[in-house]
Amino acid sequence: MYDSVKGFRDFYPEEMGARRWAIDTIEETARRYGFREIGTPALEPTRMYTDKSGEEIVEELYSFEDKGGREVALTPELTPTVARMVVAKQQELQKPIKWVSTRPFWRYEQVQQGRFREFYQTNVDIFGSSEPDADAEILAVAVDMLTGLGLDDEDFEIRVSHRDILSGLLESFDADVNTRAAIRAVDKRAKVDRDEYLDSLYQAGLSYEDAEQFDALLETGEDDLDALADRSEDVAAATENLRAVLAAADDFGVRDRLTLSLSTARGLDYYTGVVFECFDATGEVSRSVFGGGRYDDLIEGFGGQPTPAVGFAPGHATLQLLCERAGVWPGEGLETDYYVLQVGDTRPTAARIARDLREKGHVVETDIADRSFGAQMGYADNVDAETVVIVGERDLENDEVTLKEMDDGEQVSVPVAEFPGDRDRPTFEDFL
């Protein structure tokens, strides 16, 4: 016996049925907005991550030297990869570029609730538009994905902020502030006690008095944003942009699902404008379900032309936790529309019936293991078959087959030449 690697998971058919439902729901939502699917590699050059985040990032990667002597890493996120792809064909791609992708990623980190070393995300990105409408569309896709999974207003909260408001407020203090470190402190604000949080702001360059004042400004509500705008031109511009995004979100029909929260920071350094995070409204899922925002400088940082960008990436593990908490995650089990049961030398007819039912789009199984009648019935029950079509030698002598409904045991004989016929979903009641 071999154990699986820590942080990596197996998904058996019962689990994959529910996961497939979630993936299809998420991807179909993005497709309705015109996002086009892309495929991306599992390996990238390690320097693609170290150049942006420093050598210390290697400790969090699955990185190694391949047989050609190249330093490579299993991709820990998609954003650098799609940036590379945009740069490679920037002049050929029609703007705005709208891409969606579902795939696994790998990070060597501590395994905990909703966080694994191999994890699955769907990335949704727009490149080539700096308009507030692009931010609003990303927010609308996120909301529609959640409601498509069966969640409602009482289940989730999307907190919206603006990185330039945070950086502008920090720079408005008469201090030599490490803005990057201070924003990372804000990102961890809810995860640490207050003294540790204030200490982090102090270490970033604020006095304790300024740290208290800065933190108080983060509690500003939407009606009081104009008061923040007075602190600097940068804050005023960011405030205007945030208001424009929220106004567009109102037109997109999702404004009532959004909460202004200036303490929402997003710790990654490449965010430049509006940022947001989704949380379980009850707090039972203790960490962010997913997040996203604007990253206008990333493409240029990868050698491309200046290209505005905005996107988000729901992680499937945390989405599942939220859906389970809300009671909308589907029960894990197998679903089968028909089981075509063979008794005796009836394979040609049974195969024809199974083929005809599959052509109508149904999930159909039949015996491929030469089992007895009882064993086949037991199997049909285990795969949750709705209807069993019994094709027996004696039935065929009378040019009939038997339909048996598994939920109530009712059965009826029907002419074999008429089954399935023109019926899309033939059942017991069609032949009474």
Side-chain angles (χ1 to χ4, degrees):
M1 289 290 294
Y2 298 95
D3 294 328
S4 62
V5 178
K6 183 179 180 180
F8 291 69
R9 294 175 293 166
D10 301 311
F11 300 105
Y12 288 88
E14 294 83 355
E15 300 168 276
M16 278 306 301
R19 287 173 55 79
R20 173 50 54 193
W21 162 81
I23 292 169
D24 289 347
T25 299
I26 291 168
E27 291 182 336
E28 178 57 30
T29 302
R31 279 193 288 268
R32 289 201 302 269
Y33 280 82
F35 288 83
R36 315 299 177 179
E37 185 175 17
I38 59 170
T40 56
L43 285 180
E44 292 281 13
T46 302
R47 65 182 179 83
M48 195 161 80
Y49 307 107
T50 57
D51 284 352
K52 298 302 174 186
S53 303
E55 292 295 332
E56 64 272 12
I57 193 67
V58 173
E59 297 299 319
E60 301 174 19
L61 302 178
Y62 279 93
S63 60
F64 55 93
E65 182 180 300
D66 71 7
K67 293 183 179 180
R70 294 170 289 262
E71 291 295 329
V72 296
L74 290 170
T75 50
E77 60 170 319
L78 193 64
T79 305
T81 295
V82 293
R84 175 183 58 73
M85 291 174 65
V86 169
V87 171
K89 293 192 174 183
Q90 192 161 19
Q91 301 307 315
E92 305 171 39
L93 295 169
Q94 180 68 38
K95 312 298 189 303
I97 304 160
K98 298 170 67 173
W99 285 347
V100 61
S101 173
T102 299
R103 49 156 294 182
F105 298 91
W106 301 269
R107 290 179 189 162
Y108 193 84
E109 59 186 0
Q110 185 63 40
V111 178
Q112 53 186 291
Q113 184 195 46
R115 188 184 292 271
F116 299 89
R117 290 175 175 170
E118 180 181 59
F119 57 97
Y120 292 77
Q121 287 184 175
T122 297
N123 285 72
V124 184
D125 296 282
I126 298 175
F127 301 92
S129 175
S130 60
E131 293 298 314
D133 298 49
D135 302 70
E137 180 164 285
I138 284 291
L139 288 164
V141 174
V143 170
D144 284 358
M145 283 181 177
L146 294 167
T147 56
L149 292 170
L151 299 162
D152 59 31
D153 290 352
E154 298 179 354
D155 294 320
F156 66 89
E157 178 185 20
I158 294 181
R159 302 174 189 171
V160 182
S161 182
H162 201 292
R163 284 287 287 262
D164 291 346
I165 293 178
L166 295 178
S167 60
L169 290 175
L170 288 164
E171 291 164 5
S172 70
F173 288 91
D174 185 19
D176 183 17
V177 181
N178 183 332
T179 303
R180 176 181 177 184
I183 287 179
R184 287 186 174 180
V186 174
D187 185 51
K188 297 178 180 179
R189 180 176 184 254
K191 304 171 188 175
V192 299
D193 63 42
R194 184 165 181 81
D195 287 343
E196 184 178 346
Y197 164 60
L198 293 175
D199 284 344
S200 297
L201 291 176
Y202 176 78
Q203 292 165 11
L206 290 175
S207 68
Y208 280 104
E209 181 180 352
D210 286 345
E212 291 277 10
Q213 185 180 352
F214 168 71
D215 187 62
L217 292 173
L218 299 184
E219 299 299 326
T220 302
E222 186 174 355
D223 293 338
D224 299 318
L225 281 178
D226 289 341
L228 294 184
D230 293 337
R231 295 188 70 90
S232 74
E233 290 183 3
D234 289 342
V235 175
T239 299
E240 183 179 356
N241 178 247
L242 178 57
R243 286 194 185 279
V245 170
L246 294 176
D250 192 22
D251 291 337
F252 277 64
V254 298
R255 176 62 186 89
D256 60 340
R257 308 294 183 104
L258 311 177
T259 301
L260 178 66
S261 172
L262 295 183
S263 61
T264 297
R266 302 291 289 158
L268 295 174
D269 294 334
Y270 53 66
Y271 285 112
T272 59
V274 166
V275 291
F276 64 92
E277 287 188 308
C278 173
F279 289 88
D280 175 8
T282 69
E284 290 185 36
V285 179
S286 58
R287 54 187 297 261
S288 170
V289 178
F290 63 82
R294 183 162 284 281
Y295 45 96
D296 287 345
D297 299 335
L298 191 67
I299 300 301
E300 189 175 4
F302 275 81
Q305 297 297 315
T307 304
V310 61
F312 75 108
H316 295 180
T318 47
L319 265 182
Q320 180 175 344
L321 291 175
L322 175 59
C323 289
E324 287 175 341
R325 197 280 304 155
V328 299
W329 190 255
E332 294 181 348
L334 304 177
E335 295 182 357
T336 309
D337 298 319
Y338 294 91
Y339 183 85
V340 182
L341 187 150
Q342 303 173 48
V343 182
D345 188 15
T346 62
R347 186 178 67 189
T349 301
R352 189 274 300 169
I353 290 173
R355 193 164 58 248
D356 289 351
L357 289 169
R358 289 180 185 129
E359 287 177 356
K360 295 178 181 294
H362 301 301
V363 178
V364 183
E365 289 204 55
T366 190
D367 183 42
I368 55 172
D370 194 26
R371 290 170 293 195
S372 67
F373 179 92
Q376 289 186 68
M377 285 298 294
Y379 181 84
D381 186 49
N382 287 335
V383 297
D384 200 21
E386 293 185 24
T387 303
V388 172
V389 184
I390 302 171
V391 185
E393 290 179 324
R394 292 184 181 179
D395 288 317
L396 292 184
E397 288 176 0
N398 297 321
D399 295 324
E400 294 178 333
V401 294
T402 299
L403 294 189
K404 182 179 180 68
E405 298 300 318
M406 294 296 283
D407 60 348
D408 57 16
E410 295 281 358
Q411 63 183 51
V412 63
S413 295
V414 303
V416 65
E418 297 181 17
F419 190 84
D422 296 331
R423 302 170 183 84
D424 290 332
R425 178 66 174 87
T427 64
F428 168 85
E429 294 182 351
D430 292 323
F431 298 95
L432 293 178

